Amino acid sequence: MLRVASYNVNGIRAAQRRGFECWLERRRPDVVAIQEMRCPPELVPEGVFGDYHHAYHPGSLPGRNGVAVLSRVAPTAVRQGFGSRVFDHEGRYIEVDLDLPGRPPLTVGSLYLTKGSPKVGPDADLARYRRKMRFMASFRAYLVGARRTARREGREFLVMGDFNVAHERSDLKNWRGAGQKEGFLPEEREWFGSLLSERTLVDVVRRLHPDAEGPYSWWSWMPGAFERDSGWRIDYHLASPGLARTAVAGGTDREASSAERVSDHAPVVVDYAY
């Protein structure tokens, strides 16, 4: 069994104080994609990743972004960014190749997709919104090539992370009032849907839970949101079809209470019979 997790930790130093290491030791994933490290490499807490190998792209924006991949085996290759002169310095994507003992080789990406303010309303920021659209278009084009490269090399492909998009109504609690909100705009949802097909990439958790509400992976820190389970599913495993077919269990490691939360996101964990 191969256990794989994606976790937006909302700052690795804060996550360590709140119990990240306890979760890592308890769940013992083979691979973890991390987003929002928010930490220069020299200030990553010593020992926070235990005995895992880690590849880290901190980016150049102090206190923001930062993506990593933890793995039990050392990566055979690490690629920072996705070939964009505009976005690669921000620390939003990292990709590794893993040669797993007794298993087919695997390429794993960790993504933290940029935010963009709504198109309408008093908080509209059209320049930031258009920048997000550029990111999404560039990243989609990159994924096409990355998947093909992995397939040509005999590798399965898995991109995980915080996509900041709820794809369908079942992916957020209060969808009726969200039609003009960032993260549920029609064009964002259309973009996300364009990544998916039975021949390209598969939303693994949705395949495992086709009729479920959620399982949500993000809740506001506002009082009561977590207790009411008023959340969004914006953290995903998107896998090549061969890998997706091996998924046997998966969902969100939702804490029992708000006081126990490590981050405003919860880890998304999938077991693959791989």
Side-chain angles (χ1 to χ4, degrees), residues 7 32 38 42 49-50 61 123 167 198 213-214 245 253 265 271:
Y7 205 161
V32 187
R38 295 186 179 183
E42 65 273 15
F49 297 140
L61 304 176
D123 299 323
H167 182 210
E198 291 300 313
E213 295 296 319
R245 284 192 291 269
D253 278 7
H265 295 251
D271 289 338

Side-chain angles (χ1 to χ4, degrees), residues 2 30-31 69-77 96-101 103-108 155 274:
L2 184 73
D30 298 286
V31 183
V69 176
L70 316 184
S71 55
R72 293 196 178 280
V73 300
T76 58
V96 304
D97 292 339
L98 300 173
D99 287 351
L100 304 168
R103 299 182 174 103
L106 177 64
T107 294
V108 175
R155 296 179 173 276
Y274 182 65

Side-chain angles (χ1 to χ4, degrees), residues 60-129:
S60 61
L61 304 176
R64 295 174 57 190
N65 308 335
V67 286
V69 176
L70 316 184
S71 55
R72 293 196 178 280
V73 300
T76 58
V78 176
R79 295 174 287 277
Q80 294 187 349
F82 55 97
S84 168
R85 289 178 294 178
V86 176
F87 298 109
D88 279 356
H89 74 95
E90 295 185 355
R92 292 186 176 278
Y93 187 69
I94 190 169
E95 188 177 281
V96 304
D97 292 339
L98 300 173
D99 287 351
L100 304 168
R103 299 182 174 103
L106 177 64
T107 294
V108 175
S110 178
L111 170 72
Y112 177 50
L113 196 143
T114 182
K115 294 181 180 178
S117 296
K119 295 190 300 179
V120 297
D123 299 323
D125 184 340
L126 294 183
R128 195 164 173 236
Y129 171 78

Side-chain angles (χ1 to χ4, degrees), residues 156 198 202 204 207 239-248 272:
E156 297 293 347
E198 291 300 313
V202 177
V204 176
R207 170 177 275 190
S240 53
L243 178 62
R245 284 192 291 269
T246 72
V248 294
Y272 296 91

Side-chain angles (χ1 to χ4, degrees), residues 204-271:
V204 176
V205 172
R206 180 52 68 214
R207 170 177 275 190
L208 291 169
H209 304 280
D211 302 316
E213 295 296 319
Y216 307 129
S217 62
W218 177 86
W219 301 262
S220 167
W221 288 113
M222 293 180 62
F226 187 77
E227 288 75 12
R228 295 191 304 271
D229 199 23
S230 183
W232 294 53
R233 190 173 79 98
I234 57 176
D235 302 86
Y236 298 90
H237 287 225
L238 304 187
S240 53
L243 178 62
R245 284 192 291 269
T246 72
V248 294
T252 301
D253 278 7
R254 187 182 189 276
E255 292 91 343
S257 70
S258 183
E260 299 172 71
R261 298 174 71 186
V262 172
S263 166
D264 54 350
H265 295 251
V268 179
V269 184
V270 176
D271 289 338

